[in-house]
Amino acid sequence: MDRLASVFLRSILWSSFLWVTVIQKCSSDAFEIGSLVNPYQNKVTLDPNGKYILDWVVNWEESRVIFNVTVQTKGYVGFGLSNKGKMSGADIVIGGVLPNGKPYFSNDYIAVIWAFGEKDDDLEYHYHNREVYDAYLLDADLTPNLDELNGKTKGDLKKWSISIEQPIPTQDTAYICTMHKAPSYPTKQHVVGFRSVLESDLEVRHIHHFLLHRCYAPEGQNPVAMFDQYVGQPGEECYLLNNPNPFPTQYCREVMHEWAVGARPIFFPEHVGIPFSESPNEYYMLQMHYDNLQVLPGITLRFSLEVYYTSILREHELGLMYVGKSTPGSPTIMIPPSELNHTVYGQCGSGCTNLMLPQNGIHVVAAKLHTHLAGCTYETTDRNGSVTVGGFSTRNEMCNGFIWFYNKISGYAGVCSSEIKSQTYKDFLDIFNTTWSDTRRENVVTAPRHNAGLLVSQAGNRIDWTIEKRNQLQYYHTYLPQVATCPRLLPEQNTLQLSPWRRFSRRNKFSFSKTKTIANRSIQSEILDSETEFVTVYPKDIVPYSRPQLLCIRN
């Protein structure tokens, strides 16, 4: 009878410690992986055949997370923590049970990475049974089952399904917008949760993220006449930046929901809900980012977004704020080639927050970050010696944060993005002005003359990226002043415009505690001389976040 061993690995993340021990082994040809009693609060099955189960529990009083891994296999078991879902830089533990019953164990000590093998000696071939799982470890899967949620809403839970079947263009990236009319009720409803349904692995590979926006017709115009003609249509390219877009994206900028690949259903705490069906004709735009890096033809994707709502109104109304770097914007996002941990900061300065937020502040319910393939701090060791710039493709980058909060902002789209427009930055990159190219899908340099016509990425590749140059760029991305904009919906028109510029006197501007001269310019004097509106930099008493180092304990 073949030996069937299951190794239980218990990992404890304790402050800055990662502690992993083998706590039990069993050998049986009748072993059932789900049959053992488990005290852990959070559970997820990682392997599609149910052979790899991860459990964990958070002990807030002792500041630690305890993991339990249960795997049905005759060979080794692997488990790791990685900040990007990659093997490089991950904390990994591998264990198993030898034929003589003796356990073995090794580790080298944050998406979760996992693997297992059919034999103890085939570690180099673990790619057959391995994957990445993005886990919210400290605020784990709080999604209730729908029966439980329906009970809390006294049987009033309703579902609106936004379903699309979309042929995607034969190009590496596409942003396609479709229009959808919400169900109408005589009284206001509250949205309490969302669930995304991807039909197959084809959708998982080619749908990168989406945003759901609420649409507003200008005052005096009929929303049915403006938006209904697009309902049920295949959709249009969302961003034609240099030409008028026939699709009314400019009237659909208030973000209601965001999803990215790997995310799970989201249901809100019982005291908050998003206002819904506030008018008889309410329209929403779904902006889908399709990823087709191999430029494959003939792909049709099927996707549904389930919106759960109730007429039993919650205590507070939830809003979503979208902050970060302008994309595609100026070349304010640029990551050197072969970079290990470059950091980019987006800011929503006080010039915007003073206008957008009430004086008594807001209550944040949840937050998440969004980048493309090289984030969240950025690693570009696989980019073949080329710089990475901000843009729409997953081979470009984004730097965005999404903040759920109450009470909802009135009059603003909930968008606050920033750029570096400093002359010091332009001189450093040798890029003075740019313009967006719809056909090339990137910013093109228009000045200085010797770089004119180059893509921003091509101009960046002309820089000799020495260690000194890399350090300078990181310093600039951290400390140079940034210009923030916050679109608002003018009450008299309900159209989207940028907030009016506000000029600050020099004495009200932030400044550094000391002057640091780089590239023959004084950053201090540049801040004082700048009249750019909504300028913000780090005050002297704020230290940017730095990722802590983990201490390894071997047992």
Side-chain angles (χ1 to χ4, degrees):
M1 192 175 295
D2 289 339
R3 177 181 62 92
L4 181 60
S6 176
V7 177
F8 292 78
L9 303 181
R10 187 170 83 169
S11 308
I12 300 178
L13 185 63
W14 191 357
S15 298
S16 60
F17 298 89
L18 182 61
W19 181 16
V20 185
T21 60
V22 176
I23 63 170
Q24 185 177 357
K25 64 183 179 67
C26 62
S27 180
S28 169
D29 62 337
F31 175 72
E32 295 182 7
I33 198 168
S35 63
L36 300 179
V37 177
N38 195 319
Y40 295 88
Q41 296 173 345
N42 309 294
K43 176 179 179 179
V44 63
T45 301
L46 301 179
D47 174 64
N49 297 316
K51 294 183 176 182
Y52 198 115
I53 294 177
L54 171 66
D55 307 271
W56 73 95
V57 64
V58 180
N59 187 323
W60 289 98
E61 289 73 20
E62 299 183 12
S63 301
R64 61 178 181 175
V65 180
I66 303 174
F67 300 96
N68 185 79
V69 175
T70 308
V71 185
Q72 181 182 355
T73 181
K74 299 177 183 179
Y76 72 91
V77 173
F79 175 77
L81 298 177
S82 167
N83 68 332
K84 297 179 183 177
K86 298 180 180 180
M87 295 284 288
S88 175
D91 297 321
I92 302 170
V93 57
I94 296 173
V97 180
L98 298 174
N100 61 7
K102 182 178 180 180
Y104 65 88
F105 186 80
S106 66
N107 64 286
D108 67 354
Y109 312 25
I110 294 202
V112 169
I113 57 177
W114 60 271
F116 67 91
E118 299 301 328
K119 298 184 299 182
D120 289 311
D121 58 354
D122 67 348
L123 291 179
E124 65 270 35
Y125 303 113
H126 67 274
Y127 58 85
H128 290 299
N129 300 303
R130 68 174 176 86
E131 196 48 79
V132 174
Y133 175 76
D134 292 319
Y136 305 116
L137 294 178
L138 298 185
D139 190 8
D141 194 353
L142 300 179
T143 302
N145 62 55
L146 294 181
D147 290 337
E148 178 187 352
L149 188 63
N150 203 30
K152 291 178 180 178
T153 57
K154 298 181 175 61
D156 187 61
L157 188 67
K158 296 180 283 289
K159 180 178 72 173
W160 173 37
S161 290
I162 302 175
S163 299
I164 58 174
E165 183 172 333
Q166 182 72 57
I168 65 173
T170 308
Q171 59 194 48
D172 68 338
T173 195
Y175 285 69
I176 304 297
C177 286
T178 54
M179 187 67 68
H180 307 271
K181 186 175 183 180
S184 179
Y185 293 90
T187 59
K188 181 169 67 173
Q189 312 283 301
H190 269 173
V191 172
V192 298
F194 299 92
R195 187 171 81 100
S196 301
V197 181
L198 282 70
E199 297 292 333
S200 70
D201 186 60
L202 185 69
E203 283 74 24
V204 174
R205 293 198 308 269
H206 293 286
I207 297 178
H208 180 266
H209 77 262
F210 73 75
L211 293 174
L212 182 67
H213 301 263
R214 184 171 175 176
C215 302
Y216 294 91
E219 186 176 357
Q221 295 195 33
N222 188 333
V224 176
M226 174 170 284
F227 302 124
D228 206 67
Q229 59 185 308
Y230 300 101
V231 175
Q233 298 302 308
E236 303 276 353
E237 185 82 25
C238 299
Y239 298 118
L240 299 174
L241 300 186
N242 282 343
N243 301 300
N245 195 334
F247 201 87
T249 56
Q250 66 270 32
Y251 301 106
C252 308
R253 290 290 300 278
E254 182 181 311
V255 183
M256 184 182 188
H257 180 50
E258 183 274 347
W259 175 94
V261 61
R264 298 186 294 284
I266 177 172
F267 286 85
F268 305 127
E270 296 178 25
H271 62 294
V272 293
I274 299 176
F276 185 62
S277 188
E278 294 182 293
S279 63
N281 295 297
E282 207 164 271
Y283 291 86
Y284 291 84
M285 182 184 77
L286 187 65
Q287 175 226 91
M288 302 287 295
H289 177 192
Y290 297 107
D291 195 22
N292 187 10
L293 291 180
Q294 295 177 305
V295 196
L296 302 174
I299 297 178
T300 297
L301 303 179
R302 295 168 181 83
F303 170 83
S304 293
L305 171 62
E306 297 176 349
V307 182
Y308 292 90
Y309 60 99
T310 176
S311 62
I312 303 175
L313 300 184
R314 305 290 181 89
E315 180 182 0
H316 299 289
E317 296 204 328
L318 195 66
L320 177 59
M321 186 185 300
Y322 171 16
V323 299
K325 287 289 191 181
S326 298
T327 303
S330 66
T332 191
I333 297 179
M334 180 174 287
I335 316 301
S338 302
E339 190 63 67
L340 286 173
N341 58 351
H342 192 86
T343 304
V344 172
Y345 296 91
Q347 299 180 10
C348 183
S350 59
C352 278
T353 57
N354 286 340
L355 293 176
M356 296 171 63
L357 306 182
Q359 289 188 351
N360 58 351
I362 58 175
H363 300 264
V364 174
V365 173
K368 65 181 295 188
L369 300 177
H370 178 77
T371 64
H372 283 166
L373 300 181
C376 278
T377 56
Y378 298 96
E379 178 188 336
T380 58
T381 55
D382 60 344
R383 297 297 168 95
N384 299 319
S386 298
V387 300
T388 299
V389 297
F392 293 135
S393 169
T394 54
R395 296 297 291 182
N396 300 136
E397 270 306 331
M398 289 186 172
C399 175
N400 298 321
F402 295 87
I403 302 171
W404 284 265
F405 67 95
Y406 66 88
N407 281 312
K408 187 174 179 290
I409 293 172
S410 177
Y412 283 83
V415 177
C416 186
S417 57
S418 66
E419 296 181 58
I420 300 175
K421 294 187 175 182
S422 159
Q423 189 61 45
T424 293
Y425 192 67
K426 295 177 181 180
D427 290 343
F428 176 80
L429 297 180
D430 203 15
I431 299 173
F432 299 164
N433 287 299
T434 64
T435 185
W436 174 259
S437 169
D438 282 335
T439 56
R440 302 175 78 178
R441 298 180 182 275
E442 191 176 318
N443 282 289
V444 177
V445 180
T446 57
R449 180 178 298 178
H450 58 267
N451 276 341
L454 295 178
L455 296 174
V456 168
S457 58
Q458 293 171 333
N461 285 333
R462 288 187 168 186
I463 298 175
D464 181 15
W465 290 107
T466 62
I467 293 177
E468 181 183 8
K469 285 283 189 181
R470 293 167 187 268
N471 291 339
Q472 281 186 344
L473 182 64
Q474 182 62 85
Y475 187 90
Y476 291 158
H477 278 169
T478 305
Y479 291 112
L480 276 181
Q482 299 193 30
V483 179
T485 57
C486 34
R488 65 190 179 107
L489 300 166
L490 296 179
E492 66 272 15
Q493 294 180 333
N494 279 338
T495 56
L496 191 71
Q497 294 191 7
L498 293 180
S499 294
W501 297 118
R502 171 181 294 176
R503 297 193 180 276
F504 295 103
S505 64
R506 291 184 181 181
R507 65 178 179 273
N508 289 333
K509 292 184 179 179
F510 290 127
S511 62
F512 297 114
S513 57
K514 61 180 181 179
T515 300
K516 186 176 180 74
T517 302
I518 298 181
N520 299 320
R521 293 182 60 86
S522 168
I523 295 178
Q524 175 77 24
S525 63
E526 179 175 338
I527 294 171
L528 295 179
D529 290 342
S530 171
E531 289 296 331
T532 306
E533 297 78 11
F534 291 152
V535 171
T536 56
V537 298
Y538 275 114
K540 61 182 180 181
D541 56 343
I542 292 183
V543 178
Y545 170 80
S546 179
R547 180 179 158 206
Q549 298 295 316
L550 294 179
L551 179 63
C552 303
I553 294 183
R554 292 177 170 83
N555 193 10

